[in-house]
């Protein structure tokens, strides 16, 4: 679908030589790889390496953490985000797909009907032999939300550039902290010498 706010046209992107898709209807250009308006003047790798992409990723991660903390869920069939305010854990005919599922473990409702409570994940409180979820399960849920909020999988280039940037920032922070500590020590020693001279005089 065209990403222009004024166009509802859709088309398939079949040109494998470029990720740039030009709408046949309105000529709006979209990056088929990023599902984002075309990044004029930048290749996809340059776009992935840009500070704006790193900031977008970090915003998506923060949103994902919040959604995971607030117990939001993503429909296992259509990936629509769902937030339950009250009621039981059975999500029936909600979202674009109309499928039913368990709000806690995302087990499909048709499997629950067919197999009974054993269809729930062991980490679901509806499973007969409930086992509390591990930290890994929580991280996985956050990862699912990150992908949903970000709008797709995060580029390895973006992750690598962010990691390098964060290492550089950490090194700069440590150097700054070390310099500040040395300055304080020198000032303290200088003050001690001055105080010692004053008391001697």
């Amino acid at each position: 679908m065209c990403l222009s706010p004024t166009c509802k046209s859709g088309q398939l992107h079949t040109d494998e030589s470029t990720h740039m898709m030009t709408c046949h209807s309105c000529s709006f250009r979209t990056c088929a790889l990023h599902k984002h308006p075309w990044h004029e003047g930048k290749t996809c790798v340059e776009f992935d390496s840009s500070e704006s992409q790193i900031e977008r990723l970090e915003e998506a991660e923060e949103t994902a953490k919040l959604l995971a903390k607030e117990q939001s869920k993503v429909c296992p069939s259509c990936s629509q985000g769902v937030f339950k305010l009250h009621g039981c854990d059975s999500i029936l005919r909600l979202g674009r797909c109309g499928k039913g599922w368990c709000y806690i473990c995302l087990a499909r409702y048709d499997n629950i009907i067919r197999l009974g409570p054993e269809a729930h994940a062991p980490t679901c409180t509806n499973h007969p032999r409930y086992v509390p979820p591990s930290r890994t399960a929580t991280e996985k849920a956050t990862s699912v939300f990150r992908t949903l909020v970000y709008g797709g999988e995060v580029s390895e280039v973006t992750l690598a550039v962010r990691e390098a940037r964060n290492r550089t920032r950490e090194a700069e922070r440590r150097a700054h902290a070390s310099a500040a500590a040395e300055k304080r020590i020198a000032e303290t020693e200088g003050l001690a010498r001055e105080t010692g001279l004053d008391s001697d005089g």
Side-chain angles (χ1 to χ4, degrees), residues 4-77:
S4 169
T6 58
C7 180
K8 300 294 181 203
S9 179
Q11 69 192 49
L12 292 176
H13 179 65
T14 55
D15 185 356
E16 294 182 11
S17 66
T18 180
H19 293 299
M20 185 173 69
M21 180 179 77
T22 304
C23 178
H24 295 307
S25 180
C26 72
S27 299
F28 187 83
R29 293 185 300 175
T30 300
C31 177
L33 177 66
H34 294 106
K35 297 172 183 59
H36 193 273
W38 182 249
H39 32 81
E40 195 64 46
K42 291 182 180 176
T43 65
C44 288
V45 171
E46 289 169 339
F47 181 69
D48 282 338
S49 304
S50 67
E51 188 65 27
S52 66
Q53 280 299 91
I54 295 169
E55 287 173 6
R56 183 172 157 239
L57 168 61
E58 290 175 344
E59 287 172 10
E61 287 177 338
E62 289 305 312
T63 303
K65 286 177 189 173
L66 180 63
L67 288 171
K69 182 180 175 186
E70 294 296 326
Q71 301 297 311
S72 300
K73 301 290 179 177
V74 176
C75 174
S77 297

Side-chain angles (χ1 to χ4, degrees), residues 80-184:
Q80 180 174 342
V82 176
F83 183 78
K84 183 181 79 156
L85 294 175
H86 54 80
C88 72
D89 297 323
S90 296
I91 304 298
L92 302 175
R93 294 179 296 283
L94 182 69
R96 295 183 294 247
C97 65
K99 303 284 185 185
W101 44 281
C102 172
Y103 191 78
I104 296 174
C105 69
L106 310 182
R108 289 177 37 172
Y109 198 65
D110 55 349
N111 286 340
I112 296 168
I113 291 172
R114 191 167 48 85
L115 302 172
E118 296 282 337
H120 290 279
T123 54
C124 178
T125 53
N126 294 310
H127 192 280
R129 291 177 302 285
Y130 167 69
V131 177
S134 66
R135 182 176 175 186
T136 307
T138 305
E139 288 170 354
K140 183 180 177 187
T142 302
S143 175
V144 168
F145 279 117
R146 180 184 76 177
T147 302
L148 179 69
V149 173
Y150 191 72
E153 290 298 321
V154 179
S155 161
E156 292 296 323
V157 173
T158 303
L159 292 172
V161 169
R162 180 182 62 169
E163 187 176 329
R165 182 202 67 179
N166 288 348
R167 279 196 306 267
T168 301
R169 284 184 177 175
E170 179 63 17
E172 289 170 353
R173 187 192 65 76
R174 287 183 182 193
H176 181 72
S178 177
E182 288 175 10
K183 183 179 176 185
R184 277 195 301 274

